[in-house]
């Protein structure tokens, strides 16, 4: 069975109102947007967002969370824009993807206390608008930790 179909079935098991077309559209969009990008492991880059979506499905999150998992890196790592995501997937998904992107830009290594406070403020704003942003980011980090052995400095 195709990986895409397995994801759809996994979500459909707990979310019977699933709009399969939306999940398939997000899968295709993300895969096309990431094109030939690869991860340090040599795997296609899209394997990462796909695994993030699978983690979210294991958490039994809603359809838009799964779509966000599939798209969570497209604004940051491809030519796709928030407006493009909004026009195809709607404002809610666009805001979720944008929120995850904003969280990705926060760094904890800065020593300047003002920057740390500003980062904390941005973090709280991002998750207060929609807690699903945090779930997607945590799934993203979890998958990165599972594949850390492929990093050169690890």
């Amino acid at each position: 069975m195709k990986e895409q179909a397995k994801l759809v079935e996994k979500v459909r098991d707990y979310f019977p109102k699933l709009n399969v077309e939306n999940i398939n559209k997000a899968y295709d969009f993300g895969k096309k947007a990431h094109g030939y990008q690869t991860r340090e492991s040599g795997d296609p880059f899209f394997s990462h967002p796909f695994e993030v979506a699978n983690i979210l499905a294991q958490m039994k999150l809603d359809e838009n969370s799964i779509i966000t998992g599939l798209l969570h890196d497209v604004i940051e790592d491809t030519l796709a824009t928030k407006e493009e995501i909004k026009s195809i997937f709607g404002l809610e998904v666009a805001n979720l993807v944008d929120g995850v992107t904003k969280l990705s830009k926060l760094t904890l290594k800065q020593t300047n206390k003002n920057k740390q406070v500003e980062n904390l403020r941005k973090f709280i704003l991002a998750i207060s608008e929609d807690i699903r942003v945090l779930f997607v980011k945590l799934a993203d980090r979890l998958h990165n930790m599972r594949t850390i052995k492929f990093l050169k400095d690890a």
Side-chain angles (χ1 to χ4, degrees):
M1 185 184 260
K2 247 172 103 171
E3 65 179 8
Q4 186 175 351
K6 286 182 184 179
L7 175 62
V8 165
E9 285 310 308
K10 187 183 295 184
V11 178
R12 190 184 276 159
D13 282 348
Y14 69 86
F15 196 79
K17 297 183 292 182
L18 178 69
N19 184 329
V20 175
E21 182 181 327
N22 286 342
I23 298 290
N24 288 335
K25 191 171 20 171
Y27 180 95
D28 293 341
F29 183 92
K31 193 166 189 165
K32 182 179 178 186
H34 287 292
Y36 295 105
Q37 295 172 340
T38 58
R39 293 184 47 88
E40 291 289 331
S41 64
D43 291 334
F45 186 87
F46 188 70
S47 66
H48 169 67
F50 178 75
E51 289 304 322
V52 169
N54 272 295
I55 292 167
L56 297 169
Q58 289 171 348
M59 296 167 61
K60 297 186 177 358
L61 293 182
D62 68 308
E63 178 179 318
N64 283 342
S65 297
I66 305 302
I67 291 169
T68 301
L70 291 167
L71 303 177
H72 79 273
D73 280 329
V74 296
I75 293 175
E76 187 175 6
D77 295 337
T78 75
L79 298 175
T81 65
K82 180 181 177 182
E83 287 305 312
E84 184 178 11
I85 292 170
K86 179 182 170 187
S87 71
I88 298 169
F89 300 100
L91 181 60
E92 184 177 321
V93 169
N95 285 338
L96 288 168
V97 173
D98 189 51
V100 174
T101 301
K102 287 177 181 172
L103 279 183
S104 297
K105 293 180 180 178
L106 299 181
T107 61
L108 302 176
K109 294 180 182 178
Q110 298 171 347
T111 56
N112 181 325
K113 288 193 188 276
N114 288 337
K115 287 193 181 220
Q116 287 178 348
V117 169
E118 180 61 17
N119 280 341
L120 181 60
R121 185 189 72 76
K122 288 178 182 176
F123 174 77
I124 291 168
L125 280 174
I127 64 170
S128 67
E129 288 182 26
D130 197 320
I131 193 69
R132 294 174 295 177
V133 168
L134 180 59
F135 290 133
V136 174
K137 191 62 190 172
L138 288 172
D140 170 54
R141 295 295 175 143
L142 175 60
H143 184 255
N144 284 338
M145 292 301 294
R146 288 177 176 170
T147 58
I148 200 165
K149 65 185 173 204
F150 295 108
L151 294 180
K152 291 177 179 121
D153 293 338

